Amino acid sequence: MAVTTTSTLFKRLVQLGLLNGEQTTKIITDKGGQFKNLPELLINEKLITADVLAQAAASIGQAIRLDLEHFDLVSVPEELRNEKLIRKTDMLPLGKRGRNMYLAVVDPTNIQTIEDFEFNTGLNAELVVVEYDKLHKLIDRLFDNSLGGDFADGDWDLGSLGIVEVDEEENVGAQPDKEDQPIITFINKMLLDAIRKGASDLHFEPYEKTYRIRFRIDGILHEVANPPVALSTRLSARLKVMSRLDIAEKRIPQDGRIKLKLSAKKSIDFRVSTLPTLWGEKVVMRILDSDSAMLGIDVLGYEEAQKKLYLDALAQPQGMILVTGPTGSGKTVSLYTGLAILNTSETNISTAEDPVEINLAGINQVQVNPRAGLTFASALKSFLRQDPDVVMVGEIRDLETAEIAIKAAQTGHLVLSTLHTNSAPETLTRLLNMGVPSYNVASSVSLIIAQRLARRLCNHCKKQEILPEQELLKQGFSEAQLPTVKVFKPIGCEHCTNGYKGRVGIYEVMPVSGKMASIIMEGGNSLDIAMQAQKEGVNNLRQSGLIKAAAGMTSLAEINRVTKG
């Protein structure tokens, strides 16, 4: 159904005073081609709420209205679960009685599409008016776990899901056996669902009696599907084929990569790791989206003073910037953001990474290969003979790498790298414990950024949490802050996952001052450095987290999860 101003639903909404006819007509003229039907345009352009739209639609011909909030998906007949038809029409058969079906619709006046649905199913439709957003949420739930023994809609091909394998010239996955097509369909669907939901990782996990697929969304794992355990071997084999791994080798871990082209201008990389477990091969896929490296420093969550410290350090011609934190804390994005700022035609930038997660045009990226003798240390040595201005080392893991990196920082180069430590002060003592002389640490390290990622509260449903003053003091707020502090808690709604949507960075940005350098030279420990940082006004991770909580960005529970209490 084309988006027009002639539909009965449009006229009814204007008649009821729910739409400005002239304004909406202009929007339909300008943007109508971007949407497949009128309800989609009205909801996405925020011209009307889903609830008001459903009320008005139900008043046309006194159609029955149903709230899908607690609808049981078991009632949807298996033979009517045609995903292509349902998503194309925005209609869902809720049940069946004889030759009739109860069809959930948003626009009961869309006669053409309703008749098409009846023709495709061979059933007569009894219309039930529902809310647009709840219908789409239910459809997503239905097909997120749609893999059954018979693989519904198993005749789809790769192209129908919008995914094309890049390595077609070597026929990876081309012309698969007919019995493999349902497996291909299901895995492609899992990859698309993970991208759509903003997941960072996918876990395919075999057990004795079950098989579990989980997505890591906003740092938390969520179970999304449970295909039959008998398919364990076929699922892992397909993933290994796509990753160009040895299908016959199941005794040792393997690492690979998949590049999936979603459109002419958009592709997504997956880093793939297999691991032999007791009941089969577990496969974990990390989604590497180059768009995440182009977020820009303004949206990463730095406080203004912290952002200035980072930018000032990047502007220096030499020195070392270290980013620290556990796996999954956003270190890579922070580093790539800095590299993107430095990436100009006048600057020679080289990186040594394991693996190269995101490709950046204009930067010389090297994938280390220890088996071939290409280590972080050997790559660094080569960089120094290549007239570099900026060097990035994926991680300082040993004394040799640390010494070469520090030498580079002391001889007119800007060096960026990462370490796995819990806080900025501990990073300095970690280098000392590796065996780096204290005078080298004191003279070369210019800035340390410790970071975590906290889930961001959903703006649609977050609710203020009333806590006694004693509890706020216990959490770390000062007495001076108490009169103005407002904290919020997650509730959960259709727009989010358990009250959270997206993540925000929490940072401890510590420049190495002259006093800190003296403490290092005098043999001080991380506690001495931390005390000096506090005197100099450096917020630690906990203090930075409380600022985010007081700003309503995240909850105290989330701050307690990602920082030390």
PDB file of all heavy atoms in Angstrom, residues 181-202:
ATOM      1  N   GLN A 181      20.708 -25.705   3.309  1.00  0.00           N
ATOM      2  CA  GLN A 181      20.119 -24.383   3.153  1.00  0.00           C
ATOM      3  C   GLN A 181      19.430 -23.878   4.428  1.00  0.00           C
ATOM      4  O   GLN A 181      19.584 -22.703   4.789  1.00  0.00           O
ATOM      5  CB  GLN A 181      19.123 -24.393   1.989  1.00  0.00           C
ATOM      6  CG  GLN A 181      18.606 -22.999   1.639  1.00  0.00           C
ATOM      7  CD  GLN A 181      19.720 -22.080   1.194  1.00  0.00           C
ATOM      8  OE1 GLN A 181      20.411 -22.367   0.219  1.00  0.00           O
ATOM      9  NE2 GLN A 181      19.903 -20.973   1.884  1.00  0.00           N
ATOM     10  N   PRO A 182      18.675 -24.708   5.156  1.00  0.00           N
ATOM     11  CA  PRO A 182      18.066 -24.219   6.400  1.00  0.00           C
ATOM     12  C   PRO A 182      19.096 -23.753   7.431  1.00  0.00           C
ATOM     13  O   PRO A 182      18.873 -22.772   8.143  1.00  0.00           O
ATOM     14  CB  PRO A 182      17.282 -25.431   6.914  1.00  0.00           C
ATOM     15  CG  PRO A 182      17.006 -26.245   5.699  1.00  0.00           C
ATOM     16  CD  PRO A 182      18.208 -26.073   4.836  1.00  0.00           C
ATOM     17  N   ILE A 183      20.238 -24.443   7.512  1.00  0.00           N
ATOM     18  CA  ILE A 183      21.302 -24.030   8.430  1.00  0.00           C
ATOM     19  C   ILE A 183      21.848 -22.671   8.028  1.00  0.00           C
ATOM     20  O   ILE A 183      22.049 -21.774   8.860  1.00  0.00           O
ATOM     21  CB  ILE A 183      22.443 -25.077   8.431  1.00  0.00           C
ATOM     22  CG1 ILE A 183      21.956 -26.405   9.008  1.00  0.00           C
ATOM     23  CG2 ILE A 183      23.654 -24.561   9.216  1.00  0.00           C
ATOM     24  CD1 ILE A 183      21.750 -26.403  10.487  1.00  0.00           C
ATOM     25  N   ILE A 184      22.083 -22.487   6.730  1.00  0.00           N
ATOM     26  CA  ILE A 184      22.589 -21.214   6.217  1.00  0.00           C
ATOM     27  C   ILE A 184      21.598 -20.100   6.528  1.00  0.00           C
ATOM     28  O   ILE A 184      21.971 -19.018   6.985  1.00  0.00           O
ATOM     29  CB  ILE A 184      22.847 -21.318   4.700  1.00  0.00           C
ATOM     30  CG1 ILE A 184      23.975 -22.313   4.420  1.00  0.00           C
ATOM     31  CG2 ILE A 184      23.174 -19.956   4.096  1.00  0.00           C
ATOM     32  CD1 ILE A 184      24.153 -22.655   2.966  1.00  0.00           C
ATOM     33  N   THR A 185      20.326 -20.375   6.281  1.00  0.00           N
ATOM     34  CA  THR A 185      19.282 -19.389   6.547  1.00  0.00           C
ATOM     35  C   THR A 185      19.280 -18.974   8.010  1.00  0.00           C
ATOM     36  O   THR A 185      19.231 -17.782   8.342  1.00  0.00           O
ATOM     37  CB  THR A 185      17.899 -19.968   6.177  1.00  0.00           C
ATOM     38  OG1 THR A 185      17.868 -20.269   4.782  1.00  0.00           O
ATOM     39  CG2 THR A 185      16.791 -18.975   6.500  1.00  0.00           C
ATOM     40  N   PHE A 186      19.348 -19.962   8.887  1.00  0.00           N
ATOM     41  CA  PHE A 186      19.272 -19.667  10.318  1.00  0.00           C
ATOM     42  C   PHE A 186      20.482 -18.858  10.786  1.00  0.00           C
ATOM     43  O   PHE A 186      20.348 -17.876  11.527  1.00  0.00           O
ATOM     44  CB  PHE A 186      19.177 -20.972  11.111  1.00  0.00           C
ATOM     45  CG  PHE A 186      19.172 -20.747  12.597  1.00  0.00           C
ATOM     46  CD1 PHE A 186      18.111 -20.125  13.218  1.00  0.00           C
ATOM     47  CD2 PHE A 186      20.255 -21.129  13.375  1.00  0.00           C
ATOM     48  CE1 PHE A 186      18.106 -19.898  14.585  1.00  0.00           C
ATOM     49  CE2 PHE A 186      20.261 -20.920  14.738  1.00  0.00           C
ATOM     50  CZ  PHE A 186      19.177 -20.299  15.346  1.00  0.00           C
ATOM     51  N   ILE A 187      21.685 -19.246  10.362  1.00  0.00           N
ATOM     52  CA  ILE A 187      22.885 -18.525  10.798  1.00  0.00           C
ATOM     53  C   ILE A 187      22.879 -17.100  10.253  1.00  0.00           C
ATOM     54  O   ILE A 187      23.199 -16.145  10.973  1.00  0.00           O
ATOM     55  CB  ILE A 187      24.153 -19.281  10.363  1.00  0.00           C
ATOM     56  CG1 ILE A 187      24.325 -20.535  11.236  1.00  0.00           C
ATOM     57  CG2 ILE A 187      25.378 -18.390  10.463  1.00  0.00           C
ATOM     58  CD1 ILE A 187      25.506 -21.383  10.890  1.00  0.00           C
ATOM     59  N   ASN A 188      22.478 -16.938   9.005  1.00  0.00           N
ATOM     60  CA  ASN A 188      22.382 -15.582   8.460  1.00  0.00           C
ATOM     61  C   ASN A 188      21.406 -14.734   9.259  1.00  0.00           C
ATOM     62  O   ASN A 188      21.632 -13.549   9.508  1.00  0.00           O
ATOM     63  CB  ASN A 188      21.953 -15.627   6.996  1.00  0.00           C
ATOM     64  CG  ASN A 188      23.055 -16.121   6.089  1.00  0.00           C
ATOM     65  OD1 ASN A 188      24.215 -16.149   6.485  1.00  0.00           O
ATOM     66  ND2 ASN A 188      22.706 -16.519   4.886  1.00  0.00           N
ATOM     67  N   LYS A 189      20.319 -15.351   9.654  1.00  0.00           N
ATOM     68  CA  LYS A 189      19.322 -14.628  10.449  1.00  0.00           C
ATOM     69  C   LYS A 189      19.891 -14.234  11.809  1.00  0.00           C
ATOM     70  O   LYS A 189      19.657 -13.120  12.303  1.00  0.00           O
ATOM     71  CB  LYS A 189      18.078 -15.493  10.645  1.00  0.00           C
ATOM     72  CG  LYS A 189      16.967 -14.763  11.380  1.00  0.00           C
ATOM     73  CD  LYS A 189      15.750 -15.646  11.543  1.00  0.00           C
ATOM     74  CE  LYS A 189      14.607 -14.844  12.137  1.00  0.00           C
ATOM     75  NZ  LYS A 189      14.987 -14.054  13.290  1.00  0.00           N
ATOM     76  N   MET A 190      20.654 -15.122  12.436  1.00  0.00           N
ATOM     77  CA  MET A 190      21.274 -14.791  13.722  1.00  0.00           C
ATOM     78  C   MET A 190      22.246 -13.612  13.571  1.00  0.00           C
ATOM     79  O   MET A 190      22.282 -12.717  14.412  1.00  0.00           O
ATOM     80  CB  MET A 190      22.025 -16.019  14.270  1.00  0.00           C
ATOM     81  CG  MET A 190      21.140 -17.131  14.805  1.00  0.00           C
ATOM     82  SD  MET A 190      20.230 -16.681  16.305  1.00  0.00           S
ATOM     83  CE  MET A 190      18.610 -16.331  15.610  1.00  0.00           C
ATOM     84  N   LEU A 191      23.013 -13.619  12.492  1.00  0.00           N
ATOM     85  CA  LEU A 191      23.963 -12.522  12.277  1.00  0.00           C
ATOM     86  C   LEU A 191      23.233 -11.201  12.072  1.00  0.00           C
ATOM     87  O   LEU A 191      23.619 -10.163  12.630  1.00  0.00           O
ATOM     88  CB  LEU A 191      24.860 -12.825  11.070  1.00  0.00           C
ATOM     89  CG  LEU A 191      25.716 -14.090  11.137  1.00  0.00           C
ATOM     90  CD1 LEU A 191      26.637 -14.172   9.923  1.00  0.00           C
ATOM     91  CD2 LEU A 191      26.525 -14.157  12.413  1.00  0.00           C
ATOM     92  N   LEU A 192      22.168 -11.231  11.279  1.00  0.00           N
ATOM     93  CA  LEU A 192      21.396 -10.012  11.049  1.00  0.00           C
ATOM     94  C   LEU A 192      20.730  -9.525  12.330  1.00  0.00           C
ATOM     95  O   LEU A 192      20.707  -8.329  12.621  1.00  0.00           O
ATOM     96  CB  LEU A 192      20.324 -10.268   9.986  1.00  0.00           C
ATOM     97  CG  LEU A 192      20.751 -10.128   8.530  1.00  0.00           C
ATOM     98  CD1 LEU A 192      19.579 -10.411   7.612  1.00  0.00           C
ATOM     99  CD2 LEU A 192      21.294  -8.743   8.256  1.00  0.00           C
ATOM    100  N   ASP A 193      20.172 -10.452  13.102  1.00  0.00           N
ATOM    101  CA  ASP A 193      19.522 -10.077  14.360  1.00  0.00           C
ATOM    102  C   ASP A 193      20.527  -9.436  15.312  1.00  0.00           C
ATOM    103  O   ASP A 193      20.219  -8.462  16.002  1.00  0.00           O
ATOM    104  CB  ASP A 193      18.890 -11.304  15.031  1.00  0.00           C
ATOM    105  CG  ASP A 193      17.599 -11.721  14.356  1.00  0.00           C
ATOM    106  OD1 ASP A 193      17.103 -10.954  13.510  1.00  0.00           O
ATOM    107  OD2 ASP A 193      17.074 -12.805  14.665  1.00  0.00           O
ATOM    108  N   ALA A 194      21.740 -10.002  15.370  1.00  0.00           N
ATOM    109  CA  ALA A 194      22.771  -9.461  16.259  1.00  0.00           C
ATOM    110  C   ALA A 194      23.141  -8.042  15.851  1.00  0.00           C
ATOM    111  O   ALA A 194      23.287  -7.156  16.701  1.00  0.00           O
ATOM    112  CB  ALA A 194      24.003 -10.362  16.240  1.00  0.00           C
ATOM    113  N   ILE A 195      23.274  -7.812  14.556  1.00  0.00           N
ATOM    114  CA  ILE A 195      23.603  -6.465  14.071  1.00  0.00           C
ATOM    115  C   ILE A 195      22.464  -5.507  14.379  1.00  0.00           C
ATOM    116  O   ILE A 195      22.675  -4.394  14.867  1.00  0.00           O
ATOM    117  CB  ILE A 195      23.885  -6.502  12.556  1.00  0.00           C
ATOM    118  CG1 ILE A 195      25.148  -7.319  12.271  1.00  0.00           C
ATOM    119  CG2 ILE A 195      24.030  -5.096  11.996  1.00  0.00           C
ATOM    120  CD1 ILE A 195      25.349  -7.656  10.811  1.00  0.00           C
ATOM    121  N   ARG A 196      21.228  -5.955  14.116  1.00  0.00           N
ATOM    122  CA  ARG A 196      20.061  -5.089  14.331  1.00  0.00           C
ATOM    123  C   ARG A 196      19.902  -4.714  15.794  1.00  0.00           C
ATOM    124  O   ARG A 196      19.504  -3.593  16.130  1.00  0.00           O
ATOM    125  CB  ARG A 196      18.805  -5.806  13.829  1.00  0.00           C
ATOM    126  CG  ARG A 196      17.514  -5.047  14.037  1.00  0.00           C
ATOM    127  CD  ARG A 196      16.356  -5.760  13.353  1.00  0.00           C
ATOM    128  NE  ARG A 196      16.241  -7.143  13.778  1.00  0.00           N
ATOM    129  CZ  ARG A 196      15.651  -7.530  14.910  1.00  0.00           C
ATOM    130  NH1 ARG A 196      15.152  -6.624  15.725  1.00  0.00           N
ATOM    131  NH2 ARG A 196      15.576  -8.806  15.231  1.00  0.00           N
ATOM    132  N   LYS A 197      20.221  -5.641  16.686  1.00  0.00           N
ATOM    133  CA  LYS A 197      20.048  -5.389  18.116  1.00  0.00           C
ATOM    134  C   LYS A 197      21.246  -4.696  18.748  1.00  0.00           C
ATOM    135  O   LYS A 197      21.246  -4.420  19.946  1.00  0.00           O
ATOM    136  CB  LYS A 197      19.790  -6.713  18.839  1.00  0.00           C
ATOM    137  CG  LYS A 197      18.439  -7.333  18.483  1.00  0.00           C
ATOM    138  CD  LYS A 197      18.206  -8.630  19.236  1.00  0.00           C
ATOM    139  CE  LYS A 197      16.833  -9.190  18.931  1.00  0.00           C
ATOM    140  NZ  LYS A 197      16.563 -10.454  19.662  1.00  0.00           N
ATOM    141  N   GLY A 198      22.280  -4.437  17.958  1.00  0.00           N
ATOM    142  CA  GLY A 198      23.442  -3.744  18.493  1.00  0.00           C
ATOM    143  C   GLY A 198      24.317  -4.613  19.371  1.00  0.00           C
ATOM    144  O   GLY A 198      24.996  -4.122  20.270  1.00  0.00           O
ATOM    145  N   ALA A 199      24.331  -5.932  19.130  1.00  0.00           N
ATOM    146  CA  ALA A 199      25.152  -6.843  19.929  1.00  0.00           C
ATOM    147  C   ALA A 199      26.628  -6.651  19.592  1.00  0.00           C
ATOM    148  O   ALA A 199      26.985  -6.251  18.483  1.00  0.00           O
ATOM    149  CB  ALA A 199      24.740  -8.293  19.665  1.00  0.00           C
ATOM    150  N   SER A 200      27.484  -6.945  20.557  1.00  0.00           N
ATOM    151  CA  SER A 200      28.930  -6.878  20.312  1.00  0.00           C
ATOM    152  C   SER A 200      29.515  -8.260  20.066  1.00  0.00           C
ATOM    153  O   SER A 200      30.553  -8.381  19.406  1.00  0.00           O
ATOM    154  CB  SER A 200      29.639  -6.229  21.510  1.00  0.00           C
ATOM    155  OG  SER A 200      29.432  -6.986  22.691  1.00  0.00           O
ATOM    156  N   ASP A 201      28.874  -9.306  20.584  1.00  0.00           N
ATOM    157  CA  ASP A 201      29.371 -10.673  20.443  1.00  0.00           C
ATOM    158  C   ASP A 201      28.210 -11.639  20.291  1.00  0.00           C
ATOM    159  O   ASP A 201      27.110 -11.402  20.810  1.00  0.00           O
ATOM    160  CB  ASP A 201      30.197 -11.087  21.668  1.00  0.00           C
ATOM    161  CG  ASP A 201      31.370 -10.168  21.933  1.00  0.00           C
ATOM    162  OD1 ASP A 201      31.175  -9.143  22.612  1.00  0.00           O
ATOM    163  OD2 ASP A 201      32.474 -10.474  21.463  1.00  0.00           O
ATOM    164  N   LEU A 202      28.484 -12.774  19.603  1.00  0.00           N
ATOM    165  CA  LEU A 202      27.534 -13.874  19.511  1.00  0.00           C
ATOM    166  C   LEU A 202      28.218 -15.121  20.054  1.00  0.00           C
ATOM    167  O   LEU A 202      29.374 -15.394  19.717  1.00  0.00           O
ATOM    168  CB  LEU A 202      27.102 -14.144  18.067  1.00  0.00           C
ATOM    169  CG  LEU A 202      26.397 -13.056  17.271  1.00  0.00           C
ATOM    170  CD1 LEU A 202      27.400 -12.098  16.656  1.00  0.00           C
ATOM    171  CD2 LEU A 202      25.572 -13.694  16.143  1.00  0.00           C
TER     172      LEU A 202
END
